[in-house]
Amino acid sequence: MISTEPLRLDFLPWEYHRIATDEERERQAERQQRLGGSLTLAGTAYVAESAAVYCDELEMGERSYIAAHAYVTGHIALGSDSTINPFSAVRGRITIGDGVRIGAHTSLLAFNHGTAPGQPIFRQPHTALGITVGDDVWIGSNVTILDGVTVGPHSIIGAGAVVTKDVPASTVVAGNPARVLRSRESGASVAPTSDLASRLTAFAAKARDQVDDVLARCWDGERFVDRPGLEHEPAIRPWCDAIEIADVLLRRTPAGHTRDDLVRRLRARQDPKSGLVAPGDLADAGLEVPSDAGLAVLEGPASYHILCVGYALQVLDSSFEHPIRTDFEPGELDRLPWARHAWSAGSAIDALGTALARNLHDHKETGPLMTLLGWLTVRADPSSGAWGQPHPDDGWLQVVNGFYRLTRGTYAQFGLPLPYPEQAVKTVLAHSNDRRMFSGDNYNSCNVLDVIHPLWLARKQTRVGLDEGKRWAEDQLSRILDRWVDGEGFAFAPDGSDDRAIPGLQGTEMWLAIIWLLSDYLGLSDALGYRPRGVHRPEPLVGNYPLG
C-alpha cells in the first residue's frame, strides 16, 4: 500500500529522478494520472502531491518539476531541467524554456483586469497576453511577473522584483518596478535613468549618420514610398515624412531633392475650390488637380493631408496657396462616431482644427474657430477629461487615441489650456496600464504617441500623475531606442506580425517625434540635439495670433 504521508520529494523534488524508490515512482505515476487536461509529461517529470495543478494543457520536459503547494493553471509549457518551487503561482498561457529556476513564493500571472475608472473591478474586461521565459533563467523568490512580459535567456531576476516589462537577455534585474542593474556578459553596471541622456545622445548621432540611407532606401527612383519592397498606391504622405525626417535630423531637404521642386510638387496637389490636397501622386510635378466636391475636411482620404502637407510646406518655408474650406454645422460634429470610434472622430476634429490653424497662420483668416472651441468645451466629459466612452473590447484605447488627435489639432495648436487636465491624465494613465494595448501589433507608434502627447501637454497645467507618467516614459524610451534598424530606421509596429513591422518612413518620422516627447517629459530632450518642427512640433502653430 502506498503511503499518504507528506513526501520529502514534494519539497525536494530535484531528488526524484536520481533517488526515488519504486514506491515513490508508482505514487508519482498515479499522481500524474489524476491530472486533468492535455498532458505531455517526460518520464522524469515530477508533480508534487500537494501542488494545485489544474491545467488545460501541461507540458513538462525531462527532470522538470512542480513542487509543494504550487498553484499552476492554464496552458503551461515547462522545458527540461526547469523548476517551479514551493508556494509559487504560475497561471495563464506561459511558456518556460530549459534550465529555468523559479524561486519559492513567486508569481507568474499571465492575465489582467482592465482598470477603467467608473466601472467595478469585477466587471472590468480580462486580458491575457501570455508570459514567455527563455532558457537558462533564474527567477528569485517572491518575484512577480505580470502579463505580457518576455524574459530573455540567461537573465537573472532578483528576489522580490516586480517585473512589468520585458527583461533583456543576459541581464540582471531587480526592484519594483524591476530595472536592469548590469549585464551578465560584461559585468558592467547599467543605470537606465542616469544613463538615459547619454543613450539619447548616442541614438540621435546614429540616426543623423544614417538618415540619408534611410531615405534613399524608400526612394524607388520616381517617388518616395513608405516601405520598400511592397506594392503601394502612389501616396503623398511618404513625401511629407521624408521632408520631416530630413528636416528634424539634418535641417535640410532629402538628398537629391531641392526645396523649390518639393514645394512645387506639394502645392500642385491643392484643390483651389476646397483648399484640400487630393490623394494621388507627386511624381508628376505638373499634374493639374480638378476641383473635387467629394473632398471634405471632416472625412475622407484628404483630411490627413491638411496636417502632413501643411507642415511639410512650413518646414520648407512655404505654405498652402489657397485657404481651406472650413464651414461646418455643430450637428456634423455630433454625428461623428464618438460612441465606438472616438479615434476617427478625434482625427476629424484634428483635421478641422488644423485647417482653421493653417488658414489663420497662412492667410490670416479666423473662420468658425469659436464655434469649434465652444462645441469642444460643452462636449468634454468632466469625469474623464475626454470625449467618447470606453468599450469592453479595447478599454480606453479609442478615447485616448481620439483625445490625442483632437487636442493636438485644437488646444495644442492654439496654445489653449485643456478643459479638465487632471481627469484627462488619470484616464490616459489608466489606459497606459492596459498591457494588451502595448504589445505585439498594438505596440506601435500611434498607441505610444497617443499617450505621451496628452501627458506632455497636460503637464503644462498639472503635476497630477507625474511620477507614474515619468516611469512610463522611461520604460518606453528604454524599449524603443533599441528598435532602430541600422540604415532602415523604425518600423511603425516594431514587434508586430504584419508588414507594419518593416521599417519605413511613417514609423521613423513618428518615433523620432515620440522619442523627443518622451525625453522632454523627462527633462532630457536637450540630449537629442533635435526638435520637431512639423506635425508634432511642440510649439503652438498660431498661439500668438488674435482669435477674435
Side-chain angles (χ1 to χ4, degrees), residues 165-243:
K165 63 177 183 177
D166 292 352
V167 176
S170 301
T171 57
V172 179
V173 305
N176 180 7
R179 298 183 184 278
V180 177
L181 301 181
R182 63 181 177 85
S183 168
R184 288 190 66 198
E185 293 179 346
S186 64
S189 174
V190 179
T193 302
S194 61
D195 193 47
L196 199 48
S198 62
R199 289 186 64 196
L200 291 168
T201 299
F203 159 76
K206 178 170 64 175
R208 286 189 194 91
D209 288 343
Q210 299 180 14
V211 66
D212 284 333
D213 292 336
V214 171
L215 297 178
R217 174 176 172 267
C218 296
W219 175 255
D220 70 0
E222 294 184 353
R223 61 181 60 83
F224 282 107
V225 296
D226 182 57
R227 288 154 291 174
L230 301 175
E231 292 189 10
H232 296 269
E233 290 293 329
I236 294 173
R237 178 168 181 169
W239 292 76
C240 300
D241 288 335
I243 291 167

Side-chain angles (χ1 to χ4, degrees), residues 53 61 92 131 136 170 256 284 475 518 520:
V53 180
I131 293 172
D136 182 34
S170 301
D284 182 357
D475 288 346
L518 291 165
D520 198 63

Side-chain angles (χ1 to χ4, degrees), residues 249-263:
L249 291 175
L250 302 174
R251 285 294 186 264
R252 62 165 169 79
T253 58
H257 299 270
T258 67
R259 177 260 180 198
D260 290 346
D261 181 64
L262 291 170
V263 168

Side-chain angles (χ1 to χ4, degrees), residues 389-402:
Q389 297 297 322
H391 191 274
D393 290 348
D394 49 23
W396 287 97
L397 176 69
Q398 287 282 330
V399 175
V400 171
N401 290 12

Side-chain angles (χ1 to χ4, degrees), residues 207-504:
R208 286 189 194 91
D209 288 343
Q210 299 180 14
V211 66
D212 284 333
D213 292 336
V214 171
L215 297 178
R217 174 176 172 267
C218 296
W219 175 255
D220 70 0
E222 294 184 353
R223 61 181 60 83
F224 282 107
V225 296
D226 182 57
R227 288 154 291 174
L230 301 175
E231 292 189 10
H232 296 269
E233 290 293 329
I236 294 173
R237 178 168 181 169
W239 292 76
C240 300
D241 288 335
I243 291 167
E244 287 212 26
I245 292 166
D247 179 78
V248 75
L249 291 175
L250 302 174
R251 285 294 186 264
R252 62 165 169 79
T253 58
H257 299 270
T258 67
R259 177 260 180 198
D260 290 346
D261 181 64
L262 291 170
V263 168
R264 180 165 55 89
R265 290 175 185 272
L266 290 171
R267 296 186 80 181
R269 291 299 302 174
Q270 190 183 25
D271 169 23
K273 183 176 180 180
S274 68
L276 296 178
V277 177
D281 193 2
L282 297 189
D284 182 357
L287 182 66
E288 293 185 3
V289 180
S291 178
D292 186 347
L295 298 178
V297 171
L298 289 173
E299 60 183 354
S303 61
Y304 191 77
H305 294 156
I306 300 170
L307 282 65
C308 67
V309 175
Y311 275 108
L313 284 168
Q314 184 167 329
V315 301
L316 294 170
D317 297 318
S318 184
S319 64
F320 282 126
E321 182 178 0
H322 309 287
I324 301 166
R325 283 188 57 184
T326 56
D327 48 308
F328 71 94
E329 296 294 332
E332 295 180 75
L333 307 186
D334 289 319
R335 289 191 291 273
L336 293 172
W338 299 105
R340 184 64 189 94
H341 298 289
W343 180 90
S344 296
S347 65
I349 299 294
D350 188 5
L352 176 58
T354 303
L356 290 164
R358 290 252 67 100
N359 287 349
L360 189 55
H361 182 274
D362 298 345
H363 303 285
K364 308 301 184 288
E365 294 186 4
T366 302
L369 177 59
M370 291 302 127
T371 303
L372 174 60
L373 294 175
W375 186 93
L376 292 173
T377 300
V378 171
R379 295 298 193 274
D381 184 347
S383 64
S384 68
W387 296 260
Q389 297 297 322
H391 191 274
D393 290 348
D394 49 23
W396 287 97
L397 176 69
Q398 287 282 330
V399 175
V400 171
N401 290 12
F403 180 91
Y404 157 67
R405 288 296 303 270
L406 181 156
T407 57
R408 192 218 69 85
T410 54
Y411 296 95
Q413 288 199 126
F414 290 98
L416 300 173
L418 298 171
Y420 303 104
E422 290 84 4
Q423 292 87 342
V425 168
K426 293 175 182 178
T427 297
V428 172
L429 288 176
H431 169 63
S432 75
N433 289 321
D434 189 345
R435 293 188 58 82
R436 61 185 171 153
M437 298 305 159
F438 299 93
S439 62
D441 290 336
N442 284 332
Y443 175 55
N444 61 58
S445 53
C446 272
N447 286 352
V448 177
L449 175 63
D450 296 345
V451 170
I452 187 53
H453 188 276
L455 293 179
W456 176 88
L457 185 62
R459 187 180 175 182
K460 298 178 180 180
Q461 296 173 252
T462 180
R463 293 181 61 84
V464 167
L466 185 58
D467 289 342
E468 182 179 351
K470 284 187 172 183
R471 288 193 295 270
W472 187 87
E474 286 183 9
D475 288 346
Q476 296 304 314
L477 277 177
S478 297
R479 187 175 184 183
I480 189 54
L481 289 178
D482 293 333
R483 299 301 205 280
W484 174 274
V485 178
D486 285 342
E488 300 182 7
F490 285 116
F492 175 86
D495 294 345
S497 58
D498 56 22
D499 61 24
R500 298 180 306 164
I502 300 171

